[in-house]
PDB file of all heavy atoms in Angstrom:
ATOM      1  N   LYS A   4       4.161 -14.708  51.759  1.00 67.00           N
ATOM      2  CA  LYS A   4       3.403 -13.509  51.430  1.00 67.00           C
ATOM      3  C   LYS A   4       4.218 -12.641  50.482  1.00 67.00           C
ATOM      4  O   LYS A   4       3.732 -12.134  49.476  1.00 67.00           O
ATOM      5  CB  LYS A   4       3.105 -12.738  52.715  1.00 67.00           C
ATOM      6  CG  LYS A   4       1.731 -12.093  52.687  1.00 67.00           C
ATOM      7  CD  LYS A   4       1.438 -11.493  54.037  1.00 67.00           C
ATOM      8  CE  LYS A   4      -0.029 -11.391  54.280  1.00 67.00           C
ATOM      9  NZ  LYS A   4      -0.334 -10.973  55.639  1.00 67.00           N
ATOM     10  N   LEU A   5       5.496 -12.520  50.836  1.00 65.00           N
ATOM     11  CA  LEU A   5       6.382 -11.683  50.035  1.00 65.00           C
ATOM     12  C   LEU A   5       6.485 -12.233  48.613  1.00 65.00           C
ATOM     13  O   LEU A   5       6.365 -11.507  47.619  1.00 65.00           O
ATOM     14  CB  LEU A   5       7.762 -11.661  50.696  1.00 65.00           C
ATOM     15  CG  LEU A   5       8.671 -10.534  50.202  1.00 65.00           C
ATOM     16  CD1 LEU A   5       8.196  -9.212  50.783  1.00 65.00           C
ATOM     17  CD2 LEU A   5      10.102 -10.817  50.594  1.00 65.00           C
ATOM     18  N   LEU A   6       6.673 -13.545  48.533  1.00 67.00           N
ATOM     19  CA  LEU A   6       6.802 -14.167  47.212  1.00 67.00           C
ATOM     20  C   LEU A   6       5.532 -13.977  46.388  1.00 67.00           C
ATOM     21  O   LEU A   6       5.575 -13.687  45.201  1.00 67.00           O
ATOM     22  CB  LEU A   6       7.107 -15.663  47.367  1.00 67.00           C
ATOM     23  CG  LEU A   6       8.576 -15.958  47.672  1.00 67.00           C
ATOM     24  CD1 LEU A   6       8.733 -17.423  48.066  1.00 67.00           C
ATOM     25  CD2 LEU A   6       9.450 -15.652  46.467  1.00 67.00           C
ATOM     26  N   ALA A   7       4.390 -14.136  47.083  1.00 68.00           N
ATOM     27  CA  ALA A   7       3.123 -13.973  46.373  1.00 68.00           C
ATOM     28  C   ALA A   7       2.994 -12.552  45.849  1.00 68.00           C
ATOM     29  O   ALA A   7       2.587 -12.326  44.708  1.00 68.00           O
ATOM     30  CB  ALA A   7       1.968 -14.303  47.303  1.00 68.00           C
ATOM     31  N   MET A   8       3.374 -11.596  46.685  1.00 67.00           N
ATOM     32  CA  MET A   8       3.311 -10.205  46.247  1.00 67.00           C
ATOM     33  C   MET A   8       4.206  -9.986  45.038  1.00 67.00           C
ATOM     34  O   MET A   8       3.831  -9.342  44.064  1.00 67.00           O
ATOM     35  CB  MET A   8       3.772  -9.274  47.385  1.00 67.00           C
ATOM     36  CG  MET A   8       2.722  -8.984  48.441  1.00 67.00           C
ATOM     37  SD  MET A   8       1.149  -8.552  47.731  1.00 67.00           S
ATOM     38  CE  MET A   8       1.465  -6.836  47.357  1.00 67.00           C
ATOM     39  N   LEU A   9       5.427 -10.557  45.116  1.00 66.00           N
ATOM     40  CA  LEU A   9       6.367 -10.416  44.007  1.00 66.00           C
ATOM     41  C   LEU A   9       5.772 -10.969  42.723  1.00 66.00           C
ATOM     42  O   LEU A   9       5.844 -10.351  41.658  1.00 66.00           O
ATOM     43  CB  LEU A   9       7.670 -11.156  44.337  1.00 66.00           C
ATOM     44  CG  LEU A   9       8.700 -10.334  45.109  1.00 66.00           C
ATOM     45  CD1 LEU A   9       9.909 -11.196  45.439  1.00 66.00           C
ATOM     46  CD2 LEU A   9       9.125  -9.125  44.298  1.00 66.00           C
ATOM     47  N   ALA A  10       5.150 -12.150  42.848  1.00 66.00           N
ATOM     48  CA  ALA A  10       4.544 -12.774  41.675  1.00 66.00           C
ATOM     49  C   ALA A  10       3.483 -11.855  41.093  1.00 66.00           C
ATOM     50  O   ALA A  10       3.402 -11.638  39.876  1.00 66.00           O
ATOM     51  CB  ALA A  10       3.928 -14.116  42.056  1.00 66.00           C
ATOM     52  N   PHE A  11       2.677 -11.277  41.977  1.00 65.00           N
ATOM     53  CA  PHE A  11       1.607 -10.391  41.539  1.00 65.00           C
ATOM     54  C   PHE A  11       2.175  -9.168  40.805  1.00 65.00           C
ATOM     55  O   PHE A  11       1.738  -8.814  39.711  1.00 65.00           O
ATOM     56  CB  PHE A  11       0.786  -9.954  42.754  1.00 65.00           C
ATOM     57  CG  PHE A  11      -0.416  -9.149  42.383  1.00 65.00           C
ATOM     58  CD1 PHE A  11      -1.523  -9.768  41.810  1.00 65.00           C
ATOM     59  CD2 PHE A  11      -0.437  -7.787  42.595  1.00 65.00           C
ATOM     60  CE1 PHE A  11      -2.628  -9.026  41.461  1.00 65.00           C
ATOM     61  CE2 PHE A  11      -1.540  -7.043  42.246  1.00 65.00           C
ATOM     62  CZ  PHE A  11      -2.637  -7.656  41.676  1.00 65.00           C
ATOM     63  N   ILE A  12       3.216  -8.592  41.402  1.00 66.00           N
ATOM     64  CA  ILE A  12       3.834  -7.404  40.787  1.00 66.00           C
ATOM     65  C   ILE A  12       4.398  -7.745  39.417  1.00 66.00           C
ATOM     66  O   ILE A  12       4.242  -7.004  38.454  1.00 66.00           O
ATOM     67  CB  ILE A  12       4.951  -6.857  41.709  1.00 66.00           C
ATOM     68  CG1 ILE A  12       4.309  -6.212  42.929  1.00 66.00           C
ATOM     69  CG2 ILE A  12       5.819  -5.854  40.972  1.00 66.00           C
ATOM     70  CD1 ILE A  12       5.279  -5.919  44.044  1.00 66.00           C
ATOM     71  N   LEU A  13       4.998  -8.933  39.323  1.00 62.00           N
ATOM     72  CA  LEU A  13       5.574  -9.357  38.057  1.00 62.00           C
ATOM     73  C   LEU A  13       4.510  -9.413  36.969  1.00 62.00           C
ATOM     74  O   LEU A  13       4.686  -8.926  35.855  1.00 62.00           O
ATOM     75  CB  LEU A  13       6.216 -10.741  38.250  1.00 62.00           C
ATOM     76  CG  LEU A  13       7.328 -11.061  37.264  1.00 62.00           C
ATOM     77  CD1 LEU A  13       8.550 -10.232  37.592  1.00 62.00           C
ATOM     78  CD2 LEU A  13       7.644 -12.538  37.309  1.00 62.00           C
ATOM     79  N   VAL A  14       3.369 -10.011  37.326  1.00 61.00           N
ATOM     80  CA  VAL A  14       2.279 -10.148  36.362  1.00 61.00           C
ATOM     81  C   VAL A  14       1.791  -8.776  35.906  1.00 61.00           C
ATOM     82  O   VAL A  14       1.630  -8.506  34.721  1.00 61.00           O
ATOM     83  CB  VAL A  14       1.115 -10.948  36.990  1.00 61.00           C
ATOM     84  CG1 VAL A  14      -0.126 -10.840  36.128  1.00 61.00           C
ATOM     85  CG2 VAL A  14       1.525 -12.396  37.167  1.00 61.00           C
ATOM     86  N   ILE A  15       1.586  -7.887  36.888  1.00 62.00           N
ATOM     87  CA  ILE A  15       1.077  -6.559  36.547  1.00 62.00           C
ATOM     88  C   ILE A  15       2.070  -5.796  35.679  1.00 62.00           C
ATOM     89  O   ILE A  15       1.699  -5.134  34.719  1.00 62.00           O
ATOM     90  CB  ILE A  15       0.790  -5.755  37.843  1.00 62.00           C
ATOM     91  CG1 ILE A  15      -0.334  -6.422  38.636  1.00 62.00           C
ATOM     92  CG2 ILE A  15       0.419  -4.327  37.518  1.00 62.00           C
ATOM     93  CD1 ILE A  15      -1.623  -6.586  37.886  1.00 62.00           C
ATOM     94  N   SER A  16       3.375  -5.972  35.991  1.00 60.00           N
ATOM     95  CA  SER A  16       4.372  -5.197  35.249  1.00 60.00           C
ATOM     96  C   SER A  16       4.401  -5.581  33.777  1.00 60.00           C
ATOM     97  O   SER A  16       4.746  -4.775  32.927  1.00 60.00           O
ATOM     98  CB  SER A  16       5.751  -5.376  35.868  1.00 60.00           C
ATOM     99  OG  SER A  16       6.154  -6.717  35.702  1.00 60.00           O
ATOM    100  N   VAL A  17       4.012  -6.820  33.477  1.00 54.00           N
ATOM    101  CA  VAL A  17       3.957  -7.241  32.078  1.00 54.00           C
ATOM    102  C   VAL A  17       3.005  -6.332  31.310  1.00 54.00           C
ATOM    103  O   VAL A  17       3.272  -5.889  30.197  1.00 54.00           O
ATOM    104  CB  VAL A  17       3.498  -8.708  31.966  1.00 54.00           C
ATOM    105  CG1 VAL A  17       3.219  -9.062  30.521  1.00 54.00           C
ATOM    106  CG2 VAL A  17       4.539  -9.628  32.560  1.00 54.00           C
ATOM    107  N   PHE A  18       1.871  -6.011  31.946  1.00 54.00           N
ATOM    108  CA  PHE A  18       0.889  -5.152  31.266  1.00 54.00           C
ATOM    109  C   PHE A  18       1.357  -3.712  31.205  1.00 54.00           C
ATOM    110  O   PHE A  18       1.202  -3.035  30.212  1.00 54.00           O
ATOM    111  CB  PHE A  18      -0.454  -5.226  31.981  1.00 54.00           C
ATOM    112  CG  PHE A  18      -1.065  -6.569  31.859  1.00 54.00           C
ATOM    113  CD1 PHE A  18      -1.037  -7.469  32.901  1.00 54.00           C
ATOM    114  CD2 PHE A  18      -1.633  -6.960  30.647  1.00 54.00           C
ATOM    115  CE1 PHE A  18      -1.577  -8.715  32.766  1.00 54.00           C
ATOM    116  CE2 PHE A  18      -2.169  -8.216  30.510  1.00 54.00           C
ATOM    117  CZ  PHE A  18      -2.147  -9.102  31.577  1.00 54.00           C
ATOM    118  N   LEU A  19       1.934  -3.263  32.319  1.00 54.00           N
ATOM    119  CA  LEU A  19       2.342  -1.860  32.357  1.00 54.00           C
ATOM    120  C   LEU A  19       3.450  -1.575  31.359  1.00 54.00           C
ATOM    121  O   LEU A  19       3.529  -0.488  30.811  1.00 54.00           O
ATOM    122  CB  LEU A  19       2.776  -1.482  33.778  1.00 54.00           C
ATOM    123  CG  LEU A  19       1.628  -1.515  34.784  1.00 54.00           C
ATOM    124  CD1 LEU A  19       2.120  -1.095  36.146  1.00 54.00           C
ATOM    125  CD2 LEU A  19       0.478  -0.612  34.336  1.00 54.00           C
ATOM    126  N   ALA A  20       4.301  -2.600  31.115  1.00 53.00           N
ATOM    127  CA  ALA A  20       5.405  -2.392  30.187  1.00 53.00           C
ATOM    128  C   ALA A  20       4.877  -1.969  28.830  1.00 53.00           C
ATOM    129  O   ALA A  20       5.479  -1.159  28.135  1.00 53.00           O
ATOM    130  CB  ALA A  20       6.224  -3.663  30.057  1.00 53.00           C
ATOM    131  N   GLY A  21       3.742  -2.516  28.446  1.00 49.00           N
ATOM    132  CA  GLY A  21       3.163  -2.196  27.147  1.00 49.00           C
ATOM    133  C   GLY A  21       2.608  -0.788  27.085  1.00 49.00           C
ATOM    134  O   GLY A  21       2.380  -0.246  26.014  1.00 49.00           O
ATOM    135  N   CYS A  22       2.329  -0.206  28.266  1.00 49.00           N
ATOM    136  CA  CYS A  22       1.647   1.082  28.264  1.00 49.00           C
ATOM    137  C   CYS A  22       2.588   2.260  28.427  1.00 49.00           C
ATOM    138  O   CYS A  22       2.152   3.394  28.463  1.00 49.00           O
ATOM    139  CB  CYS A  22       0.605   1.133  29.384  1.00 49.00           C
ATOM    140  SG  CYS A  22      -0.461  -0.291  29.400  1.00 49.00           S
ATOM    141  N   SER A  23       3.895   1.989  28.567  1.00 47.00           N
ATOM    142  CA  SER A  23       4.797   3.103  28.836  1.00 47.00           C
ATOM    143  C   SER A  23       4.713   4.110  27.704  1.00 47.00           C
ATOM    144  O   SER A  23       4.632   3.740  26.544  1.00 47.00           O
ATOM    145  CB  SER A  23       6.224   2.592  28.968  1.00 47.00           C
ATOM    146  OG  SER A  23       6.696   2.219  27.700  1.00 47.00           O
ATOM    147  N   ASP A  24       4.707   5.389  28.039  1.00 46.00           N
ATOM    148  CA  ASP A  24       4.530   6.381  26.974  1.00 46.00           C
ATOM    149  C   ASP A  24       5.879   6.849  26.460  1.00 46.00           C
ATOM    150  O   ASP A  24       6.926   6.539  27.025  1.00 46.00           O
ATOM    151  CB  ASP A  24       3.678   7.545  27.453  1.00 46.00           C
ATOM    152  CG  ASP A  24       4.293   8.248  28.638  1.00 46.00           C
ATOM    153  OD1 ASP A  24       5.355   7.778  29.120  1.00 46.00           O
ATOM    154  OD2 ASP A  24       3.742   9.245  29.070  1.00 46.00           O
TER     155      ASP A  24
END
Side-chain angles (χ1 to χ4, degrees):
Chain A
K4 217 173 205 173
L5 196 74
L6 280 169
M8 280 313 279
L9 273 177
F11 186 74
I12 288 167
L13 205 72
V14 168
I15 295 303
S16 66
V17 170
F18 293 103
L19 294 182
C22 311
S23 72
D24 60 357

